[in-house]
Amino acid sequence: MGALTLKGMGLMHKTLWRASLAAIAFSLPPAAAFAQQIAPLPPPIASPQDLAYPAGPITLDVDATDTARHIFRVHEAIPVAAGQAVTLLYPRWLPGNHSPSGPIFQMTGLEVSANGQRLEWRRDTADVYALHIDAPPGVTALDLRFQYVSPTAAPQGRITMTDVMLDLQWNAVVLYPAGYYASRIRVIPSVKLPDGWTGYTALDGARPDGATTHYGETALDVLVDSPIYAGRYTKQVDLDPHGPAPVRLDVVADRPDQLVMSEAQIAAHRNLVTQAYRLYGSHHYDHYDFLFSLSDRMGGNGLEHHRSSEDGVQGDYFTSWDTYSSARDLLPHEYTHSWNGKYRRPFDLWTPNYNVPMQDTLLWVYEGQTQYWGYVLAARSGLHSRQQALDALALTAATYDARVGHDWRPLQDTTNDPIIAQRRPQGWRSWQRSEDYYSEGQLIWLDVDTLIRERTHGAKSLDDFARAFFGVHNGAFNEDTFTFDDVVAALNHVTPYDWAAFLRTRLDRRGQAPLDGLARGGYRLVYTEERSAFQRDAESHGKTADFMYSIGLSLGEGGVINQVQWDSPAFNQGMFVGANIIAVNGDAYSADGLRRAVTAAKTGHDPIELLVKNGDQYQTYALDYHGGLRFPHLQRLPGVPDRLGEIFSARAR
Ligand SMILES: [Zn+2]
């Protein structure tokens, strides 16, 4: 925050200020007159205790019918112990976000009353997510009314409500008492949906009453872990008709025609469940719901829960099946989290309630290995073809092979990024780095998997680790925390090796991406002038164009510059994110035109001329680049077993 300036102050104040300045010049007062004092912090908020909240269950009623204005209206009744001051918390540290991203700036209109009388609330000045309420003696219940004014436009946050669907995340619509584990606070929830809508959730005990659905009493942590997807156009598909627990695909769409799916598409999603069970040999839920939105209006999403996941893709997931393959690792990723992340959870990421800070040191397991199994299960289930799996891996490998941010920032430090950056847009991603523990973590686990396979001559693999580490205690529905040493011990149980040093080297070193798994998997990363079918489809569907490994640009629709590769030809000419390429060698920009220009420059000496618009400024950049187009592929290494092929093959049992 900037210092107070004279701008905006009255003329009299300015005059006085000048006068006092003159006084200072002639006679400085003693130093003590300007001494600062350190403000005392308010008393700390009560730490959560593993005790049942004694005053009884909270009643939480949400009216989600104002879809025109995207407003959720909340009525909450919180029983309290008579005569005691109450501190209520709005969830700040959100599981799955791994960050203090609770949308408190959108919690509005708070009115607190008791016995029909309005009470005042006061926000804690050190922890703005805590509200203090002085309840008069004799008060045994607080009556709260407030709104969650969810985003109406993308810059405010992810759109979670449209005229035909919504995503209700309970953490956004609840205040809860400080001092208790979330698992020890009971809640009786209900939601009112627009007429004719259908809602899906992992919550138990649904009891419809007109437009309102009441759910059974549950613990606050289960409630927050059980969002609702609802919509006007919906379809539910049973993904495991004869399995040990119901697994459902709960689809909400912008339009009814987007709900049409073929038998082959359904079969691939059913295979996902089968292949996950063959991998883990267990499940940690009594039922599971993929809450799946197909929408070009509600924001895309991927958020894991124990018995469900929030999955949001574009509206044509099923109807553009042949070209929209890039979205098909999402469900395998979020489903894997039921085992890795929700059931087995890093010890420093587990917190007793939503206002204790999380520590993210093990996200390279939580997200990195989930990213790995997400792509492997997509291939094993047939959601991706073998070639698509290889092409997707080539894109990941190329990204980290070129990530110059390695030079200053080890992968381990990127696990802090959900807290540092909270997914803000970046100017120089290849240099700043981002949440690289996802996909660089994926490469580490490929490194581990191929090493296990090599050392055991194919007898063991990372599948054995997954089964022994995540697959234990079939049916358990709790959180079982783990440490770095637990990971190392489980790997040593699969095959003895210095796994601690192996992992720490790849997490802590600078200057090198963990790409050994490719060669040990039987492939090498090469660049050609042709895009893979997977990349071509992803670019045409996303209206993007990738030149990161040639001139050093990644472009969005209409030539907007999304990324500039640090130290690339574009970087060296001063190009930056946010500007727009409007012409290439004098012709209006098109991705095809730029590809043709890069190819033509190979055989000539003229630079590639780009006319770029930034606000009301125009500038021409001349890129003296003659290396041609470069797109990543995996090429088979002769003489090495095709371990990647084995990894991507469906398990027969
Ligand atoms: Zn994830």
Side-chain angles (χ1 to χ4, degrees):
M1 196 160 303
L4 184 69
T5 68
L6 284 177
K7 199 175 174 184
M9 294 172 77
L11 181 64
M12 187 180 75
H13 291 87
K14 282 185 194 174
T15 312
L16 281 174
W17 191 85
R18 285 202 192 99
S20 61
L21 196 67
I24 289 168
F26 289 104
S27 64
L28 279 169
F34 290 115
Q36 298 87 14
Q37 58 177 352
I38 298 171
L41 290 173
I45 308 299
S47 295
Q49 307 294 314
D50 190 7
L51 296 170
Y53 181 62
I58 293 170
T59 306
L60 178 62
D61 301 317
V62 177
D63 181 336
T65 59
D66 192 353
T67 57
R69 285 173 286 255
H70 302 204
I71 295 173
F72 294 87
R73 291 188 165 78
V74 185
H75 179 206
E76 192 175 3
I78 303 181
V80 296
Q84 287 187 11
V86 183
T87 299
L88 299 178
L89 302 174
Y90 188 75
R92 180 178 193 181
W93 291 84
L94 302 186
N97 290 17
H98 327 301
S99 68
S101 46
I104 195 164
F105 65 105
Q106 287 155 335
M107 197 274 279
T108 62
L110 179 64
E111 291 180 24
V112 185
S113 61
N115 299 331
Q117 279 201 314
R118 184 89 176 251
L119 303 180
E120 298 306 322
W121 55 270
R122 179 173 50 80
R123 197 185 296 267
D124 194 271
T125 50
D127 179 354
V128 294
Y129 282 74
L131 305 174
H132 303 292
I133 293 150
D134 293 319
V139 163
T140 56
L142 299 177
D143 195 75
L144 274 61
R145 290 181 190 273
F146 60 93
Q147 305 94 39
Y148 167 50
V149 290
S150 80
T152 57
Q156 300 163 27
R158 185 176 71 93
I159 303 281
T160 57
M161 208 178 218
T162 75
D163 55 338
V164 294
M165 68 174 68
L166 65 83
D167 171 5
L168 169 56
Q169 297 179 316
W170 293 99
N171 61 272
V173 293
V174 69
L175 286 160
Y176 69 100
Y180 301 87
Y181 279 24
S183 60
R184 307 300 302 276
I185 298 170
R186 306 290 292 177
V187 187
I188 304 170
S190 80
V191 64
K192 184 179 181 190
L193 297 174
D195 285 338
W197 286 33
T198 302
Y200 300 111
T201 176
L203 285 175
D204 292 313
R207 194 165 44 79
D209 175 16
T212 299
T213 301
H214 299 272
Y215 297 95
E217 181 184 311
T218 190
L220 178 61
D221 62 337
V222 175
L223 179 74
V224 167
D225 197 44
S226 307
I228 294 177
Y229 268 37
R232 183 173 302 285
Y233 308 114
T234 64
K235 183 176 194 166
Q236 187 174 63
V237 182
D238 183 348
L239 291 185
D240 198 20
H242 309 294
V247 180
R248 297 170 287 241
L249 187 64
D250 304 323
V251 193
V252 301
D254 284 344
R255 301 191 311 263
D257 61 281
Q258 294 167 331
L259 296 167
V260 176
M261 48 191 93
S262 70
E263 281 305 315
Q265 290 166 346
I266 294 172
H269 291 84
R270 286 186 170 147
N271 288 343
L272 168 59
V273 179
T274 306
Q275 288 297 320
Y277 286 169
R278 287 179 185 165
L279 171 62
Y280 296 114
S282 72
H283 57 85
H284 299 303
Y285 45 75
D286 49 358
H287 47 78
Y288 188 93
D289 288 86
F290 288 99
L291 307 172
F292 196 26
S293 64
L294 312 181
S295 180
D296 300 328
R297 300 175 209 150
M298 192 154 92
N301 199 11
L303 188 58
E304 63 275 19
H305 303 288
H306 216 125
R307 299 192 295 177
S308 63
S309 51
E310 292 165 74
D311 307 291
V313 297
Q314 288 175 283
D316 58 345
Y317 179 80
F318 289 111
T319 52
S320 298
W321 189 254
D322 289 341
T323 55
Y324 193 14
S325 47
S326 57
R328 292 208 287 269
D329 68 298
L330 176 66
L331 298 183
H333 178 106
E334 303 306 338
Y335 190 38
T336 287
H337 271 315
S338 183
W339 288 266
N340 178 7
K342 303 312 282 191
Y343 174 58
R344 287 313 298 272
R345 193 162 319 169
F347 76 106
D348 54 357
L349 197 57
W350 185 89
T351 55
N353 73 10
Y354 307 106
N355 294 73
V356 172
M358 292 171 176
Q359 297 172 77
D360 294 353
T361 62
L362 288 161
L363 283 181
W364 54 276
V365 185
Y366 181 123
E367 294 294 2
Q369 196 170 137
T370 297
Q371 191 75 356
Y372 184 71
W373 291 125
Y375 276 101
V376 169
L377 286 173
R380 290 183 185 177
S381 62
L383 286 164
H384 279 160
S385 69
R386 172 70 54 84
Q387 191 58 48
Q388 287 170 334
L390 291 169
D391 292 343
L393 183 57
L395 289 169
T396 299
T399 299
Y400 292 93
D401 195 29
R403 184 132 299 184
V404 290
H406 278 129
D407 287 351
W408 73 274
R409 191 175 187 197
L411 181 65
Q412 179 65 61
D413 187 59
T414 70
T415 63
N416 296 302
D417 236 50
I419 301 167
I420 296 172
Q422 295 191 34
R423 299 204 171 176
R424 288 182 185 90
Q426 291 178 298
W428 306 103
R429 170 168 291 189
S430 67
W431 183 243
Q432 289 171 278
R433 308 201 72 178
S434 180
E435 296 178 1
D436 289 1
Y437 51 84
Y438 276 86
S439 297
E440 196 175 315
Q442 176 191 351
L443 295 172
I444 288 180
W445 291 110
L446 175 65
D447 206 350
V448 173
D449 196 354
T450 53
L451 187 56
I452 295 172
R453 288 168 189 264
E454 184 183 66
R455 290 176 59 79
T456 62
H457 306 287
K460 296 281 183 65
S461 70
L462 196 65
D463 285 44
D464 296 284
F465 171 85
R467 181 176 280 248
F469 198 70
F470 303 117
V472 287
H473 302 128
N474 186 34
F477 176 34
N478 62 329
E479 296 107 36
D480 185 2
T481 58
F482 68 84
T483 64
F484 178 86
D485 289 346
D486 294 332
V487 175
V488 168
L491 285 170
N492 272 312
H493 200 73
V494 175
T495 186
Y497 190 67
D498 190 355
W499 291 112
F502 177 95
L503 292 170
R504 284 262 58 99
T505 301
R506 282 152 184 76
L507 293 165
D508 297 334
R509 74 184 171 196
R510 288 183 292 103
Q512 196 182 342
L515 293 169
D516 294 349
L518 292 179
R520 222 184 286 108
Y523 290 79
R524 71 171 153 235
L525 179 63
V526 297
Y527 294 84
T528 76
E529 293 184 70
E530 294 297 323
R531 292 173 291 166
S532 65
F534 181 82
Q535 182 176 5
R536 205 178 52 233
D537 290 346
E539 290 187 5
S540 66
H541 193 271
K543 300 186 175 67
T544 60
D546 188 356
F547 298 89
M548 288 290 272
Y549 314 112
S550 51
I551 56 177
L553 293 172
S554 175
L555 303 172
E557 196 172 4
V560 65
I561 300 173
N562 286 337
Q563 283 196 69
V564 178
Q565 176 71 35
W566 193 268
D567 273 347
S568 66
F571 175 92
N572 292 332
Q573 289 301 308
M575 297 184 74
F576 56 90
V577 163
N580 238 62
I581 300 179
I582 57 170
V584 178
N585 292 339
D587 294 331
Y589 169 81
S590 71
D592 276 338
L594 181 52
R595 280 189 282 268
R596 281 195 301 273
V598 172
T599 298
K602 251 179 87 176
T603 48
H605 298 287
D606 293 337
I608 303 160
E609 256 193 25
L610 303 177
L611 178 61
V612 171
K613 182 175 190 290
N614 177 42
D616 59 358
Q617 293 182 307
Y618 291 79
Q619 190 163 348
T620 303
Y621 296 91
L623 305 189
D624 193 18
Y625 172 78
H626 306 280
L629 293 166
R630 295 178 79 242
F631 301 110
H633 300 265
L634 295 186
Q635 190 181 67
R636 192 73 181 85
L637 265 181
V640 183
D642 186 0
R643 295 195 178 94
L644 275 184
E646 293 166 19
I647 290 166
F648 290 144
S649 293
R651 287 182 67 120
R653 56 188 175 83

